Amino acid sequence: MENTVIKNEHPYVGMWVTEDGYIRHELLPNGRYDEARGKRKSAYQGSYRITGDHIDYVDDTGFTADGDFIDDVLYHAGMVLRREH
């Protein structure tokens, strides 16, 4: 599958949140993300790339991680994040 170009209309752009609200991933339309943890806004920032239903993250320090979108749920590093509407 080809790499998806991140655009405003991409279905995965937006806020993804754990059930307890502690972790919040905001996938921005410009291919950047901002992760909040608890009361710490912007705990991690970096870029992301989506290929099909798979996401690869690279934070600004060079740390990498990935995840998968399945049935409108993001599974990432042992976490389950749901879209915030």
Side-chain angles (χ1 to χ4, degrees):
M1 196 162 226
E2 289 184 358
N3 290 335
T4 302
V5 175
I6 305 303
K7 298 179 184 176
N8 286 333
E9 66 271 7
H10 191 280
Y12 298 139
V13 167
M15 186 68 74
W16 296 83
V17 183
T18 55
E19 188 173 327
D20 62 5
Y22 185 77
I23 308 256
R24 302 170 58 83
H25 283 198
E26 184 175 12
L27 302 181
L28 302 167
N30 63 356
R32 300 276 301 163
Y33 74 91
D34 189 299
E35 178 180 321
R37 290 190 172 232
K39 295 182 181 186
R40 187 173 168 209
K41 186 176 182 198
S42 300
Y44 299 97
Q45 296 176 314
S47 61
Y48 70 91
R49 182 180 196 136
I50 296 173
T51 306
D53 291 324
H54 183 82
I55 185 168
D56 290 295
Y57 296 92
V58 179
D59 80 10
D60 289 341
T61 69
F63 179 79
T64 61
D66 66 351
D68 293 292
F69 296 93
I70 302 170
D71 295 328
D72 208 33
V73 176
L74 171 55
Y75 296 90
H76 163 66
M79 295 179 280
V80 177
L81 297 99
R82 300 190 188 282
R83 183 184 299 281
E84 181 178 81
H85 294 283

